[in-house]
Amino acid sequence: MNNRTPLIAGNWKMFKTGIEAVKTAARLVKLVAGTTDIDVMIAPPFTALAPVSDIVRGSCVSLGAQNLFWEAQGAFTGEISPVMLVSAGCKYVIIGHSERRQYFNETDETVNKRMQAAVNNDLIPVMCVGESEKERESKDTFSILDKQVKKGLEGFSSDDLERLVIAYEPVWAIGTGKTATSHQAQEVHQFLRSVLEKNFGNMLAKSIRILYGGSVKPNNIAELMTMPDVDGALVGGASLDPEIFSKIVQFKK
Ligand code: PGA
């Protein structure tokens, strides 16, 4: 099996009510119908997961969540468990997005706990890593990413991580309109694969998907996808409009 089927994932962040999400998802399903060579995922807010699940069922669009809490159930007011996500129809879960690290005290340690919960519940984790502008300027990009990957994946064996997806999202490129050049992305993706190789072996490093995220648009996706270590994209702003997102999915046309 080739695990590196390109994945184009939409992160809707805190946008869209249930009704708006259903409308968007229904339109997207129509626009990308028949897509076979690309995996497509959308991650609506929690409140829209169940209704959107009904819309995408049987289509080529998969459902993902934007976060999870690591306990299965309990007195954790305001949290959502992996079991709940699975029963709402989720196949994927985004973990450790930079906005969660920045605004909600997410750390590499909590990322690791969420990763364990995702893997134990058969959710495909999309683990986000990325450096800030300051870290890039001070040439700390590689050391930051090395730490994020190692700590995020601590305690796992390569067998646990077969379905892992990593999203490289330079914080300076998220929602700013500044995209990393395809060569900057390739350089980092290649580095991430070398970190995986050192820690989990060549087989895993070669087989997992590494997505690029940060101001991906219909006009830059094709160039990014020419890079040998770029296996898809995690798209924020441009995933909210189904016409625009479908153009990213259909970047080959
Ligand atoms: P953006 O967001 O595409 O709006 O830059 C990407 C992300 O945060 O996942």
Side-chain angles (χ1 to χ4, degrees), residues 11 13 97 99 169 173-176 213-217 234-238:
N11 171 13
K13 308 193 178 185
H97 189 279
E99 286 150 16
E169 298 207 308
I174 295 178
T176 58
S215 298
V216 173
K217 304 275 182 281
L234 182 55
V235 185

Side-chain angles (χ1 to χ4, degrees), residues 164 170 194 206 226:
L164 169 70
S194 75
K206 269 196 180 149
T226 60

Side-chain angles (χ1 to χ4, degrees), residues 217-234:
K217 304 275 182 281
N219 65 10
N220 57 28
I221 182 70
E223 164 73 19
L224 285 160
M225 293 301 289
T226 60
M227 295 294 125
D229 288 304
V230 176
D231 305 309
L234 182 55

Side-chain angles (χ1 to χ4, degrees), residues 72-242:
Q73 57 177 14
F76 301 105
T77 303
E79 296 300 318
I80 305 283
S81 79
V83 181
M84 293 170 183
L85 296 183
V86 171
S87 89
C90 289
K91 181 172 170 189
Y92 294 85
V93 60
I94 299 170
I95 291 179
H97 189 279
S98 66
E99 286 150 16
R100 298 220 54 88
R101 294 178 191 255
Q102 194 177 345
Y103 306 127
F104 303 99
N105 303 323
E106 188 88 65
T107 62
D108 291 330
E109 288 70 31
T110 57
V111 165
N112 183 254
K113 288 188 171 188
R114 290 180 215 277
M115 283 294 302
Q116 303 272 0
V119 169
N120 290 340
N121 287 278
D122 279 335
L123 284 158
I124 302 178
V126 179
M127 187 177 87
C128 301
V129 296
E131 81 287 6
S132 67
E133 187 149 36
K134 228 170 112 203
E135 288 159 352
R136 177 160 279 261
E137 277 165 7
S138 58
K139 309 228 176 314
D140 291 326
T141 300
F142 287 171
S143 63
I144 291 288
L145 292 170
D146 183 66
K147 181 169 149 278
Q148 288 177 346
V149 170
K150 271 197 209 138
K151 294 213 156 183
L153 301 180
E154 207 166 83
F156 284 104
S157 73
S158 56
D159 287 349
D160 300 326
L161 298 177
E162 267 175 2
R163 300 198 304 163
L164 169 70
V165 178
I166 290 184
Y168 167 55
E169 298 207 308
V171 178
W172 48 272
I174 295 178
T176 58
K178 286 190 209 168
T179 330
T181 64
S182 50
H183 291 281
Q184 278 172 326
Q186 168 59 25
E187 184 188 29
V188 171
H189 285 216
Q190 198 174 3
F191 172 76
L192 290 170
R193 248 183 249 291
S194 75
V195 175
L196 290 168
E197 182 173 353
K198 253 184 244 144
N199 291 277
F200 300 101
N202 185 34
M203 284 264 283
L204 188 86
K206 269 196 180 149
S207 69
I208 74 140
R209 293 180 287 190
I210 305 181
L211 314 183
Y212 169 77
S215 298
V216 173
K217 304 275 182 281
N219 65 10
N220 57 28
I221 182 70
E223 164 73 19
L224 285 160
M225 293 301 289
T226 60
M227 295 294 125
D229 288 304
V230 176
D231 305 309
L234 182 55
V235 185
S239 72
L240 295 171
D241 180 325

